Amino acid sequence: MHRRLLLALAALPCATARASVVERPLIAAAASLQPALEEAVALITAQTGIAPRFAYGASGNLARQIAQGAPFEMLLAADEVSIAQLTEAGHTRDAGHVFALGRLALFAPRGSALDPAAGLEALRPLLAAGRVQRFAIANPEIAPYGRAAEQALRRLDLWEALRPHLVFGTSIAQAAQFATTEGAIGGLIAHSLTLSPALTARGSFSLVPEALHEPLRHRLALTKRGSEAAARLQAWFLSPQAAAVFARHGLQAP
């Protein structure tokens, strides 16, 4: 009997370890979503038992990595083009779903000559006076917010005058960093990032009129590698609970 008791006790840690295993699918996510997803992780785990791992970057770069075999089970993109290209190439289960709408924001660090409340037109006299050294946007070739920034600047006929002063981030998160560095007058970045404590403490912003660029429709899709856990995550990202988290970070419900 004593020997059987010892064997039973020895088995307990293994059983406990198996019961405590948490699924951790690897998810690719646009950099503009990082503040919202960092808040969401604890809620996701509590409600689903899944603890997702996120890799952040420009949507175009993440889509290219998936096409080249990166082990992501889902892409949360800041646009629809990235998902459409993956779907057309057969890398996703389906065309996915729009889960949020983003906004482009004009940001200026404290002490800048640029007043975001005056809008993008405030750049015109500053350019004419030679007071613009650096202005940050994300790379339009790979980042949806960068494309939106270029569209807005072109629409207002500011692109060519501003182009020699542009510094390009490889993601919208890096563009936000550039917008706060010494010598930068500001930048065009994601509204979701302007609400983060780090940027709130360092400057101010205003929303860019949506009519100046194509809508920033954020779409998600499961890749062909997507597990059952990733499918449950997709359902959570389309839920009212997720919409509430995204709304707190400036991302509207579709």
Side-chain angles (χ1 to χ4, degrees):
M1 182 180 294
H2 181 67
R3 183 171 181 273
R4 285 198 298 271
L5 179 60
L6 289 176
L7 289 173
L9 289 172
L12 283 177
C14 296
T16 303
R18 283 195 298 271
S20 65
V21 169
V22 176
E23 295 170 287
R24 305 203 64 201
L26 182 60
I27 310 300
S32 57
L33 298 171
Q34 186 167 355
L37 294 178
E38 286 179 347
E39 177 189 336
V41 167
L43 187 59
I44 291 171
T45 304
Q47 294 183 350
T48 68
I50 301 167
R53 296 169 293 150
F54 293 105
Y56 299 102
S59 297
N61 271 346
L62 294 171
R64 184 172 65 250
Q65 291 171 27
I66 290 169
Q68 293 173 347
F72 298 123
E73 298 187 38
M74 185 192 305
L75 172 60
L76 300 169
D79 65 354
E80 296 193 276
V81 174
S82 298
I83 298 292
Q85 291 173 343
L86 286 174
T87 302
E88 185 177 352
H91 296 295
T92 64
R93 289 192 185 182
D94 53 35
H97 307 270
V98 174
F99 66 96
L101 304 174
R103 292 293 302 273
L104 186 67
L106 175 62
F107 175 87
R110 299 196 189 285
S112 171
L114 175 63
D115 178 12
L120 284 169
E121 284 291 349
L123 286 167
R124 205 178 302 278
L126 293 174
L127 284 164
R131 300 184 67 186
V132 179
Q133 292 182 313
R134 303 171 69 199
F135 188 82
I137 68 171
N139 184 345
E141 295 183 4
I142 56 174
Y145 282 91
R147 286 198 299 273
E150 180 177 352
Q151 290 165 3
L153 292 170
R154 287 188 182 279
R155 189 73 58 89
L156 294 176
D157 198 26
L158 286 166
W159 177 257
E160 293 303 328
L162 193 58
R163 193 168 184 174
H165 309 283
L166 291 177
V167 287
F168 298 98
T170 56
S171 70
I172 195 61
Q174 189 178 62
Q177 292 175 357
F178 289 164
T180 63
T181 57
E182 185 176 353
I185 200 169
L188 284 167
I189 61 176
H191 180 212
S192 57
L193 297 182
T194 66
L195 299 178
S196 67
L199 264 70
T200 299
R202 301 185 68 177
S204 59
F205 73 92
S206 65
L207 294 177
V208 173
E210 293 177 280
L212 292 179
H213 59 81
E214 295 177 0
L216 286 156
R217 293 166 60 85
H218 294 45
R219 183 173 285 267
L220 63 79
L222 290 166
T223 70
K224 287 294 181 67
R225 296 174 178 268
S227 62
E228 190 273 336
R232 298 206 311 274
L233 275 180
Q234 176 179 252
W236 191 89
F237 285 127
L238 299 174
S239 72
Q241 295 96 323
V245 174
F246 289 135
R248 286 196 289 273
H249 294 271
L251 295 156
Q252 306 166 15

